[in-house]
Amino acid sequence: MPKMPVEPTPQQVRRALARAERGAAVDVAEATALLAATGADLDRLCAAAAKVRDAGLLAAGRPGVITYSPKVFIPITTLCRDRCHYCTFVESPGERRRGGHEMFLSPDEILDIAREGAALGCLEALFTLGDRPEDRWPEARQWLDSKGYDSTLAYVRAMAVRVLEETGLLPHLNPGVMSWEEMNRLKPVAPSMGMMLETTSRRLFEARGEAHFGSPDKDPEVRLRVLQDAGRLSIPFTTGLLVGIGETLRERAETIFALRAVSKAYGSVQEVIVQNFRAKPDTAMRHTDDLDLDDYRAAIAVSRLVLGPRARIQAPPNLVDLAECRALLEAGVDDWGGVSPLTPDHVNPERPWPSLERLREVSAECGFDLQARLTVHPEFVRAALDGGSAWLDPRVSGHVAALAQRDGPGAGLARPGVHPTGLAWQEPEGGFASTGRTDLFETVDTTGRTEERRSDFADVYGDWGSVRDAAALTAGPTLPHAHLNLAPGREALAAAERDPGNLSDEHALTLMTAEGDLLREVVSLADDLRRQAVGDEVTYVVNRNINFTNVCYVGCRFCAFAQRRTDADAYTLSLDEVADRAGEAWDLGATEVCMQGGIDPELPAGAYVDLVTAVKQRVPDMHVHAFSPMEVVNGTMRTGLSVEDFLIKAREAGLGSLPGTAAEILDDEVRWVLTKGKLPARSWIDVVSTAHRVGIPTTSTMMYGHVDNPRHWVGHLRVLTRIQDETGGFTEFVPLPFVHTSSPLYLAGVARPGPTLRDNLAVHALARILLHGRIHHVQTSWVKLGSDGTRAMLRAGADDLGGTLMEETISRMAGSEHGSARTVAELREIGAGIGRPVRERTTLYDAR
């Protein structure tokens, strides 16, 4: 039998209450105690919470203002793959047919609801639906197929565009659990999204008979991942907890703290809904008591104290009696959520919305002025409309701006009396134009920067405290170095000599940590394998790097290249300037241009294909090696194409190969320390694998020496091995030592100052050993290692020098001291310095 939870004692409640009243931070145990407050203690708790709320409203510039969102509720479908024990929203296909409904609302039905709401002054279109119904119900899949949509989310995306264009209402999307990739595709059509966390209790998910048993999308880890991915993508996100579904007080407190952790790490949680459970007929939990009002007040008050003054705490006003709304305000609420003059609350249809007049009266009786907001909260609206922010996609920012107050204490709230009108959903004006400091490209020996840090350093990367905590986990325990005079080292070396490409993880890790005589033997073996695979020739390509923009809001914490659009060092090249650089490179003997840039939200949808076209029109025979997997994903998001269709379109325009950059370390534990918003490892794998399948070869890379450890290096090489075994599409592997000097991750005290010489030798040598028989070429980076370091790597298994580059901005702005261009003579001298012949190659390693 599970142990029954112990209720907090009155003494524990009062000790925690005294700390809360002093303004001290409370921990999970103290929050658990506060959730048990009753009587006079509960009144004191609510007063403390209200004080925190009032301080937050004052700091936000709108003291005494309570907000709500005038909305229409659009139930796209009531089909769902989950079986939540308290839900009456969900129906089966048979129930929908008996009610005279198709499996989904039709576009006409959706637009009729939206138009009627717009006529009544609504500003938000709340898209609510069950999770992935096509995974459970063949009828849902058949309906989607018949309408030409490959998923429910594809239909949601299309309908959001229709609502924006034909009504001007702002879509708020609640489709349930979504992947990083799916949210990335939906961000351009919705200013905000949401999903209730509900609870972090695994017991309620795993135990038969509990509220979430049998509902795969209610796994707390899965739901927390959605919240984190939304933060990584800079999506203003609504979430919350559902109180009274069988959770203990401790579990309730843990849920609140989980919400705080996500909010602190990413700053993306725009509001937290504290929703009380109400039993519904014909559900498995119909005999469960409704949440008691005092328990509800305590949950709101503790949420306010834990989440702090900047949090927006919402309570649905229709789930209590109107008179009880006063108690919720007194407990620290500052938002009533969406209130509709037209549609019912389809999730709680038995609880009608209160009239705005009565809600305004109740708020006024408690000393508050009720004002309308947009679906995205004012703080995010102001940041986006002031420029230089990633919170709103440019294709919806105009729709938001049309409804928002721009100035005064109500800046970011809804304009009084505004009625939405349809606006085209389209690319921002201006196209692919030249902006900013293109003179950065002319600088060779200095970084060319005018500022040490980008202007939004404190915000764009997320919370640095949370990053440090995560980095402490990725570093792992210090691994002892392996030596030749110890048995594990000798055994691992012997295994590598017998069958290098199939070395066990244990032996690979031993050799990756080698030093002294063992490291020298590993390096010698790698050099022998290099000679066996490709001979003694050292190769290079004559190419030019064109970093066409450095405007980026992904929040890569290792990158000193990215700039805010309004920063002095920000730039974007025009198509003509890119083509001119390609033409100049061709005239100087280049056979390749390598094009990569920042993820600028204002790049046109066709930017990547246009860049390829511009180069090929100017220099038809130039090989275009362009666009990291992150840029490919950005292209799919902007165009609405699948990864495969996007790559085929780019190939048809003349794209010859992809750089396998943006890999960093293919382990999300490390990736989420290195970057706030870059694509997860599975997406990188999907892009390069898809590229290989459609006939586009790629390079492969690994950036190492920051917050990682040798286990991650071995794991990364294993991932590349599996991909190459399946596709055969990698042309080379490029180890990239972390350049720390100007990296935000280093400046913030998180990363170590790059790899050591031992690390560099071990990584290059083990790459040659583990990839033997699969990827023939190992490239070493003269940009990051210099001439002497490059020669050392050429003796440790590397065979290629990469390119002349002619300009290379990314490493230079990170603080590399080895220049941004080398002449052919200088590259030949690197090889000649170790007595190796040097020859020019093409991108795909054909001789020149």
Side-chain angles (χ1 to χ4, degrees):
M1 291 288 292
K3 185 181 294 185
M4 294 299 293
V6 178
E7 289 292 316
T9 66
Q11 292 79 9
Q12 290 171 323
V13 172
R14 289 179 187 130
R15 281 197 298 269
L17 183 56
R19 284 179 52 79
E21 289 176 322
R22 292 198 305 271
V26 297
D27 59 20
V28 173
E30 291 165 330
T32 302
L34 292 174
L35 287 166
T38 58
D41 290 339
L42 178 57
D43 292 339
R44 289 171 56 194
L45 173 65
C46 290
K51 184 178 179 181
V52 173
R53 183 265 321 278
D54 293 343
L57 290 175
L58 180 64
R62 51 179 191 276
V65 172
I66 297 295
T67 51
Y68 77 100
S69 176
K71 74 173 182 185
V72 289
F73 200 126
I74 303 180
I76 301 292
T77 182
T78 55
L79 301 179
C80 183
R81 72 174 181 177
D82 291 319
R83 297 172 174 86
C84 298
H85 295 189
Y86 47 77
C87 179
T88 58
F89 174 74
V90 170
E91 296 176 303
S92 68
E95 288 171 317
R96 287 194 66 83
R97 281 193 294 264
R98 287 192 294 275
H101 304 298
E102 293 191 52
M103 298 302 104
F104 293 76
L105 290 183
S106 69
D108 287 343
E109 290 172 319
I110 291 169
L111 290 169
D112 284 346
I113 295 170
R115 289 190 187 103
E116 192 171 351
L120 292 173
C122 294
L123 305 176
E124 171 189 342
L126 172 62
F127 283 37
T128 297
L129 55 150
D131 281 74
R132 302 182 191 279
E134 64 269 34
D135 287 358
R136 178 182 178 189
W137 301 111
E139 295 89 339
R141 166 56 61 198
Q142 290 162 8
W143 190 95
L144 292 166
D145 288 345
S146 71
K147 308 299 181 185
Y149 297 101
D150 59 11
S151 68
T152 295
L153 293 181
Y155 184 55
V156 167
R157 189 182 196 273
M159 292 304 99
V161 173
R162 293 283 301 274
V163 166
L164 285 165
E165 290 196 324
E166 298 187 36
T167 73
L169 292 180
L170 302 178
H172 175 81
L173 307 183
N174 271 359
V177 168
M178 296 173 282
S179 67
W180 182 95
E181 295 84 353
E182 288 165 340
M183 284 189 283
N184 192 42
R185 287 173 68 86
L186 290 173
K187 181 175 178 177
V189 304
S192 60
M193 300 181 210
M195 184 199 71
M196 293 286 284
L197 174 59
E198 298 194 8
T199 179
T200 55
S201 170
R202 294 208 63 80
R203 179 180 59 85
L204 296 184
F205 173 65
E206 294 172 347
R208 185 174 296 277
E210 296 293 351
H212 289 155
F213 183 77
S215 300
D217 296 300
K218 299 297 181 168
D219 184 334
E221 292 181 8
V222 171
R223 297 180 85 78
L224 279 170
R225 190 263 304 153
V226 174
L227 269 60
Q228 293 159 353
D229 283 348
R232 292 168 183 136
L233 289 166
S234 297
I235 295 171
F237 207 77
T238 296
T239 186
L241 59 155
L242 181 55
V243 187
I245 57 173
E247 78 282 7
T248 65
L249 294 182
R250 174 81 183 196
E251 290 168 337
R252 197 174 295 172
E254 289 170 346
T255 301
I256 297 169
F257 273 82
L259 290 169
R260 184 179 76 167
V262 174
S263 180
K264 177 185 176 186
Y266 304 105
S268 55
V269 176
Q270 64 166 356
E271 61 186 324
V272 171
I273 303 170
V274 184
Q275 182 172 331
N276 54 319
F277 169 77
R278 297 196 70 107
K280 297 175 176 62
D282 302 320
T283 67
M285 295 181 67
R286 60 189 177 278
H287 299 304
T288 303
D289 291 337
D290 290 351
L291 184 72
D292 179 77
L293 179 61
D294 281 354
D295 289 337
Y296 194 18
R297 293 169 62 204
I300 291 170
V302 172
S303 296
R304 170 58 68 192
L305 292 174
V306 171
L307 293 166
R310 296 180 63 183
R312 306 279 75 86
I313 304 291
Q314 179 195 133
N318 61 317
L319 298 187
V320 296
D321 295 336
L322 192 59
E324 294 172 335
C325 287
R326 297 183 181 86
L328 307 188
L329 285 171
E330 291 167 356
V333 163
D334 61 1
D335 187 80
W336 290 124
V339 179
S340 180
L342 174 64
T343 52
D345 179 350
H346 288 271
V347 176
N348 301 280
E350 78 284 3
R351 303 292 304 186
W353 304 109
S355 71
L356 283 178
E357 291 75 15
R358 291 295 295 125
L359 196 59
R360 185 170 282 109
E361 288 173 6
V362 169
S363 299
E365 289 167 5
C366 295
F368 293 99
D369 179 25
L370 182 65
Q371 293 189 24
R373 61 167 173 84
L374 306 179
T375 178
V376 61
H377 277 253
E379 294 81 358
F380 299 92
V381 174
R382 291 198 302 269
L385 298 187
D386 287 346
S389 165
W391 291 115
L392 295 181
D393 188 277
R395 284 169 287 187
V396 294
S397 60
H399 298 79
V400 173
L403 304 177
Q405 297 183 52
R406 295 301 299 260
D407 303 306
L413 293 173
R415 280 196 288 122
V418 68
H419 277 70
T421 56
L423 296 172
W425 181 80
Q426 60 187 14
E427 297 304 320
E429 295 182 2
F432 213 125
S434 175
T435 61
R437 288 193 64 207
T438 56
D439 63 292
L440 283 166
F441 286 97
E442 309 309 323
T443 306
V444 173
D445 296 322
T446 69
T447 67
R449 296 177 67 114
T450 60
E451 300 290 341
E452 181 184 3
R453 301 181 179 187
R454 60 185 288 165
S455 60
D456 55 356
F457 184 92
D459 302 314
V460 73
Y461 304 109
D463 175 67
W464 282 108
S466 300
V467 174
R468 291 187 187 94
D469 292 343
L473 299 176
T474 64
T478 301
L479 296 171
H481 287 303
H483 294 270
L484 188 61
N485 62 348
L486 298 176
R490 293 195 300 273
E491 292 171 2
L493 181 62
E497 290 169 339
R498 287 194 304 271
D499 191 2
N502 294 300
L503 205 60
S504 71
D505 286 352
E506 179 184 1
H507 285 155
L509 184 60
T510 297
L511 297 185
M512 192 67 87
T513 58
E515 68 175 3
D517 289 343
L518 180 58
L519 179 60
R520 282 188 283 275
E521 291 292 332
V522 169
V523 165
S524 177
L525 173 61
D527 202 34
D528 289 343
L529 292 173
R530 181 268 310 158
R531 189 176 298 108
Q532 179 184 71
V534 296
D536 283 332
E537 283 186 330
V538 175
T539 52
Y540 67 92
V541 63
V542 179
N543 69 351
R544 182 172 195 168
N545 252 36
I546 303 176
N547 301 126
F548 51 86
T549 182
N550 67 350
V551 177
C552 189
Y553 294 95
V554 169
C556 290
R557 301 177 180 114
F558 61 85
C559 179
F561 168 71
Q563 298 289 297
R564 190 182 187 184
R565 174 170 295 280
T566 54
D567 286 349
D569 291 323
Y571 72 84
T572 298
L573 298 180
S574 69
L575 291 174
D576 284 342
E577 288 171 319
V578 169
D580 288 345
R581 282 168 166 76
E584 292 167 2
W586 181 261
D587 292 341
L588 291 170
T591 59
E592 171 197 301
V593 289
C594 177
M595 296 192 296
Q596 297 180 89
I599 307 301
D600 181 358
E602 295 193 16
L603 283 181
Y608 297 114
V609 171
D610 290 346
L611 283 162
V612 176
T613 301
V615 171
K616 296 298 281 187
Q617 286 179 343
R618 185 68 60 86
V619 191
D621 293 331
M622 181 72 82
H623 183 99
V624 179
H625 179 66
F627 314 136
S628 71
M630 182 67 200
E631 290 170 283
V632 171
V633 168
N634 188 48
T636 66
M637 181 267 283
R638 307 200 72 75
T639 60
L641 297 172
S642 68
V643 170
E644 180 174 340
D645 289 343
F646 177 87
L647 288 170
I648 290 172
K649 188 172 182 179
R651 185 194 66 197
E652 291 172 346
L655 180 68
S657 56
L658 292 182
T661 49
E664 327 319 348
I665 293 290
L666 292 172
D667 182 314
D668 285 340
E669 177 187 56
V670 177
R671 293 180 75 78
W672 299 141
V673 176
L674 293 176
T675 173
K676 175 188 172 188
K678 188 169 278 188
L679 77 174
R682 65 176 182 272
S683 295
W684 189 95
I685 294 168
D686 176 60
V687 170
V688 297
S689 299
T690 303
H692 298 169
R693 284 197 302 273
V694 301
I696 301 174
T698 77
T699 63
S700 58
T701 66
M702 179 178 78
M703 186 185 73
Y704 62 96
H706 31 74
V707 297
D708 49 356
N709 66 58
R711 286 191 179 89
H712 296 123
W713 306 341
V714 172
H716 184 102
L717 290 168
R718 292 297 194 213
V719 172
L720 299 183
T721 296
R722 288 193 292 272
I723 297 171
Q724 188 72 346
D725 285 346
E726 293 172 3
T727 70
F730 288 131
T731 57
E732 68 221 64
F733 173 66
V734 189
L736 299 171
F738 171 59
V739 179
H740 72 282
T741 311
S742 298
S743 168
L745 199 68
Y746 178 75
L747 295 175
V750 179
R752 61 186 183 273
T756 63
L757 175 59
R758 191 219 70 84
D759 295 340
N760 288 330
L761 290 169
V763 166
H764 283 73
L766 262 294
R768 172 60 69 185
I769 291 169
L770 295 179
L771 300 174
H772 181 66
R774 295 182 174 93
I775 301 177
H776 298 308
H777 300 287
V778 176
Q779 183 184 121
T780 183
S781 175
W782 59 259
V783 176
K784 300 177 188 298
L785 292 168
S787 295
D788 290 340
T790 298
R791 291 188 181 107
M793 300 311 121
L794 289 172
R795 293 190 181 104
D799 68 296
D800 187 73
L801 296 172
T804 55
L805 299 185
M806 300 187 186
E807 63 198 34
E808 202 283 340
T809 314
I810 296 173
S811 295
R812 178 159 45 83
M813 294 187 78
S816 172
E817 299 174 350
H818 302 297
S820 62
R822 289 289 174 99
T823 64
V824 168
E826 289 170 330
L827 292 183
R828 288 184 174 277
E829 193 274 331
I830 290 176
I834 54 173
R836 296 259 291 274
V838 181
R839 71 166 174 86
E840 183 183 348
R841 62 167 173 89
T842 67
T843 304
L844 302 182
Y845 284 86
D846 295 323
R848 282 278 296 171

